[in-house]
Amino acid sequence: MNYPMIFYILASVLEFEGIFMLLPSIVAGIYGEKQGIVYLIIATVCSVVGLLGRRVKPKRDVFYSKEGFAAVSLSWLLLSFVGAIPFYVTGEIPNYLDALFETISGFTTTGSTILKDVEVLSHGTLFWRSFTHWIGGMGVLVFIMAILPFSGSSSLHMMKAESPGPSVSKLVPKLRQTAKILYGIYMAFTLTEILLLYLSGMSMFEATTLSFGTVGTGGFGVLNSSIASYGAASQWIIIVFMFVCSVNFSIYYLLLIKKPKEVFLNEELRYYVLIVLGAAVAITWYIHDRFDSIAVSFRHALFQVLTVTSTTGYNTTDFNVWPGFCRMLLVALMFMGACAGSTGGGFKVSRLVIVAKTVKNEIKSITHPRSVQRVRFEGKQLSGEVVHRVLVYLGAYVFIVVISVLLVSIHEEDFTTAFTAVMATFNNIGPGLDGVYSTFADCSILSKIVLMADMLIGRLEIFPMLVILTPGMWTMPVKKMIKKTK
């Protein structure tokens, strides 16, 4: 285990978190809020400690998969524990466990909240709360890789651990350049949405914070009504960007290099569009009599479908009172989530398609024992290793959901509340149903701890967080210990 390199990465993360925290201090200063001093002090401490830590250069900057998983998992834990300090010190979230819940929910782009009234928060805190979505959306280590020089193998192992999807590939030969391209697209989407929301009638503060939540597919709003209080134009802009950011970002790179044909041939994108539109039309049929027109009904239906599939978590209406079919359809979409390579969470459309094709092939092999069945996806034949990883991921996914629901059910006796609380946090969606529709404030301490773990495990695609809990991960093999003592 290359401990010096892991320490160097953690120091880099702390330094950048300090730099990020300067922004809410500036926002608080603009609005004349005293909380800005707290953010400034914590930002300074983080930056100085991180800078000093990075002065100790590791002798070996190359590490392997386990170090990459460990570095990413520990980085997200460090981000969360430090990022919660301003909420607690300012007194705006007086309980540190609740502050930690809110911060983890922010960085993992979940959007579940323990707050019952967000409008009493200062502008600086509202900004930091939403900005955590933007930091976590593309991944803080992807951002750091775009700026700091790391060896190719080190970067690849970290990107594999932090990026969503069954497999991670480079857009260009150099991984650092890939990270720059991804963040360039990410920033372009953010700035474009800010401008459009501002032109639609929002204040610059609202447009900025809601764009952080949309592009990062997070869901923290600045009003208790989420997006319901804004006009139809603003809601349509958010709908567009929820869809845009729930699609694999490699799609946009293909458009940039003028390969539209490959975009139209993308199998995952086709399935995603069909599922989203099909679900929106089905829900519109059930709720059309609740709104003034079919057009309004479709807008609300499409918004709620995309807020679930993109795992953003905003809402324009109280879907908790919709008919049972609509609510169950949304729960099913919680499981699916967004596309691989996007900022969204969930099981991912690509994995779902691969599982479905694997089941189909297994049925064919039973009826035609002599035929050779191969899973094909995106026009290519998948290796047995990729299919195996997807099935293992599904097994781990189901196991964690079952254990989590059992633990949460100890105190949250209503099944719908317990189940959707786990699904909403593990898939990084935000609101659940019934008791956790608007806030998680009334959940027990045990439930909050379980749900925080679910948010982190779900955002990092399960295995990076599980790896650091493995005893053998941190113990030096006996043979190596004997050699070192000699």
Side-chain angles (χ1 to χ4, degrees):
M1 180 71 78
N2 192 344
Y3 292 107
M5 189 62 188
I6 292 175
F7 178 80
Y8 180 81
I9 292 168
L10 292 177
S12 301
V13 169
L14 189 62
E15 181 184 357
F16 276 95
E17 184 166 24
I19 295 170
F20 291 145
M21 217 174 283
L22 290 173
L23 292 177
S25 69
I26 293 172
V27 171
I30 292 172
Y31 287 93
E33 297 167 340
K34 61 182 180 180
Q35 289 88 349
I37 298 172
V38 174
Y39 283 96
L40 182 60
I41 293 172
I42 297 172
T44 304
V45 172
C46 289
S47 300
V48 171
V49 172
L51 185 61
L52 292 174
R54 280 210 306 122
R55 290 176 68 88
V56 182
K57 299 287 184 180
K59 294 180 180 179
R60 293 188 306 116
D61 64 349
V62 178
F63 56 51
Y64 301 100
S65 185
K66 67 175 183 178
E67 282 97 342
F69 277 35
V72 168
S73 300
L74 294 174
S75 295
W76 280 74
L77 288 170
L78 179 65
L79 271 173
S80 301
F81 279 97
V82 174
I85 294 174
F87 292 147
Y88 178 67
V89 173
T90 58
E92 295 188 87
I93 303 180
N95 183 297
Y96 182 75
L97 182 69
D98 286 345
L100 184 61
F101 185 100
E102 200 77 5
T103 309
I104 291 176
S105 181
F107 280 122
T108 58
T109 71
T110 303
S112 301
T113 181
I114 50 80
L115 297 170
K116 294 183 177 180
D117 185 3
V118 300
E119 295 178 26
V120 299
L121 299 178
S122 64
H123 288 84
T125 292
L126 284 172
F127 184 92
W128 175 241
R129 186 170 170 263
S130 293
F131 192 50
T132 56
H133 284 330
W134 195 85
I135 297 170
M138 186 60 69
V140 66
L141 288 174
V142 175
F143 179 82
I144 292 174
M145 278 186 281
I147 297 175
L148 299 180
F150 287 106
S151 70
S153 62
S154 301
S155 300
L156 183 60
H157 290 308
M158 286 191 292
M159 184 171 274
K160 282 182 177 179
E162 193 174 45
S163 300
S167 61
V168 176
S169 58
K170 296 182 284 186
L171 300 179
V172 291
K174 292 186 178 180
L175 200 60
R176 187 180 180 188
Q177 194 63 27
T178 295
K180 287 182 178 180
I181 292 170
L182 288 173
Y183 253 96
I185 296 171
Y186 192 54
M187 288 180 179
F189 286 157
T190 305
L191 293 174
T192 303
E193 187 182 3
I194 289 172
L195 176 61
L196 291 175
L197 288 179
Y198 179 71
L199 292 176
S200 73
M202 289 189 187
S203 68
M204 182 56 71
F205 178 79
E206 290 173 318
T208 303
T209 51
L210 292 178
S211 294
F212 289 157
T214 308
V215 177
T217 60
F220 282 155
V222 295
L223 299 177
N224 294 327
S225 59
S226 187
I227 310 299
S229 300
Y230 300 106
S234 299
Q235 292 177 7
W236 273 114
I237 291 168
I238 292 173
I239 284 172
V240 169
F241 280 92
M242 283 194 296
F243 172 78
V244 164
C245 294
S246 60
V247 170
N248 195 321
F249 271 56
S250 64
I251 293 291
Y252 307 117
Y253 178 69
L254 291 173
L255 292 174
L256 286 174
I257 60 175
K258 299 179 180 180
K259 291 187 177 180
K261 185 177 179 181
E262 293 187 27
V263 173
F264 289 111
L265 293 175
N266 187 281
E267 191 174 356
E268 183 182 36
L269 179 60
R270 293 202 308 271
Y271 277 112
Y272 184 58
V273 171
L274 286 173
I275 291 170
V276 167
L277 289 178
V281 170
I283 291 176
T284 301
W285 175 262
Y286 273 86
I287 65 169
H288 71 276
D289 58 342
R290 295 170 179 254
F291 299 98
D292 296 334
S293 65
I294 290 290
V296 174
S297 301
F298 180 73
R299 185 180 80 239
H300 287 299
L302 183 60
F303 192 102
Q304 297 314 138
V305 167
L306 274 171
T307 203
V308 170
T309 57
S310 69
T311 70
T312 303
Y314 288 139
N315 64 71
T316 57
T317 185
D318 187 358
F319 63 85
N320 195 42
V321 299
W322 282 1
F325 170 80
C326 299
R327 301 196 326 151
M328 288 304 102
L329 181 55
L330 291 175
V331 171
L333 293 174
M334 284 183 182
F335 167 77
M336 182 189 78
C339 298
S342 68
T343 58
F347 187 73
K348 302 294 182 299
V349 177
S350 54
R351 285 197 183 99
L352 194 61
V353 173
I354 292 170
V355 169
K357 288 188 174 186
T358 303
V359 172
K360 179 182 176 182
N361 282 0
E362 184 64 21
I363 294 171
K364 281 186 177 180
S365 66
I366 294 172
T367 56
H368 301 87
R370 295 185 180 181
S371 63
V372 178
Q373 305 297 331
R374 295 285 186 268
V375 177
R376 296 184 64 84
F377 184 68
E378 304 289 9
K380 299 175 183 178
Q381 184 175 299
L382 297 181
S383 66
E385 181 186 357
V386 172
V387 175
H388 172 74
R389 284 205 305 265
V390 170
L391 295 178
V392 169
Y393 186 91
L394 175 61
Y397 181 101
V398 173
F399 178 78
I400 292 170
V401 167
V402 170
I403 296 299
S404 299
V405 171
L406 287 173
L407 290 173
V408 172
S409 297
I410 293 173
H411 294 287
E412 318 308 324
E413 296 181 358
D414 175 51
F415 174 77
T416 303
T417 297
F419 180 72
T420 59
V422 170
M423 292 298 288
T425 51
F426 189 48
N427 293 298
N428 306 129
I429 290 165
L433 297 176
D434 291 353
V436 288
Y437 170 70
S438 59
T439 178
F440 288 67
D442 297 327
C443 290
S444 68
I445 292 175
L446 174 62
S447 295
K448 288 176 183 176
I449 292 172
V450 171
L451 297 176
M452 283 190 287
D454 283 343
M455 286 188 268
L456 286 166
I457 293 171
R459 171 58 182 85
L460 295 181
E461 304 269 289
I462 298 178
F463 294 106
M465 288 302 297
L466 295 185
V467 163
I468 65 169
L469 299 176
T470 306
M473 180 74 178
W474 305 103
T475 56
M476 187 181 294
V478 176
K479 289 183 180 180
K480 287 187 176 181
M481 290 179 67
I482 293 172
K483 283 183 180 180
K484 287 205 169 187
T485 54
K486 289 180 178 180

